[in-house]
Amino acid sequence: MALDYGRARTGVAVSDPTGAVARPLGVVENVNDQDGLEKLLHVIRIEEPERIVVGLPLTLRGERGEQVRETELFVEALRDIVEIPVEVYDERFTTNLAEGGGAAEEDARAAAYLLSSYLEWASRPQQ
């Protein structure tokens, strides 16, 4: 499962059981409040992912901008409440790839691009 974290909306994507294909699932609004977090946990329980990958919003130069710290706080909180691994992965360019359609659709597509990129990276032989 991949999450494209955002203060207002968090895009969610999942892969097929083989980890070959990622698809946008939808968005969860306001994951920083209790209701939004409960909705996200409900999605996690239904989907039963092996791991959660959260996009890390580095700047185009690969530097840590303002949004990175907020994302890291979200990741820390998520790690405290789920029993599966939560990883971060560079999400540069995923939002640009997902443009077109409504904002919620873009957030879910950005999560799918993030997951596709992560799955491709994870399937490469590590040197």
Side-chain angles (χ1 to χ4, degrees), residues 2-6 9-13 26-28 104 106-112:
L3 302 176
D4 181 35
Y5 170 78
R9 288 178 313 277
T10 297
V12 181
V27 298
V28 177
E106 286 181 14
D107 291 335
R109 279 198 308 274

Side-chain angles (χ1 to χ4, degrees), residues 68-89:
V68 169
R69 184 63 190 145
E70 185 174 337
T71 301
E72 289 174 332
L73 290 172
F74 168 72
V75 168
E76 289 171 22
L78 190 58
R79 284 178 176 152
D80 287 343
I81 58 174
V82 299
E83 296 181 10
I84 56 177
V86 179
E87 300 180 23
V88 294
Y89 188 74

Side-chain angles (χ1 to χ4, degrees), residues 21-67:
V21 178
R23 67 176 170 85
L25 189 63
V27 298
V28 177
E29 295 186 11
N30 303 313
V31 296
N32 288 327
D33 69 30
Q34 192 61 37
D35 287 341
L37 188 57
E38 285 297 324
K39 288 176 185 173
L40 178 60
L41 291 175
H42 178 73
V43 171
I44 292 169
R45 282 191 294 272
I46 288 172
E47 295 299 325
E48 300 178 326
E50 292 179 15
R51 76 182 61 249
I52 298 171
V53 179
V54 180
L56 192 63
L58 299 172
T59 67
L60 293 179
R61 291 182 172 175
E63 298 168 347
R64 303 168 66 81
E66 295 175 26
Q67 186 68 18

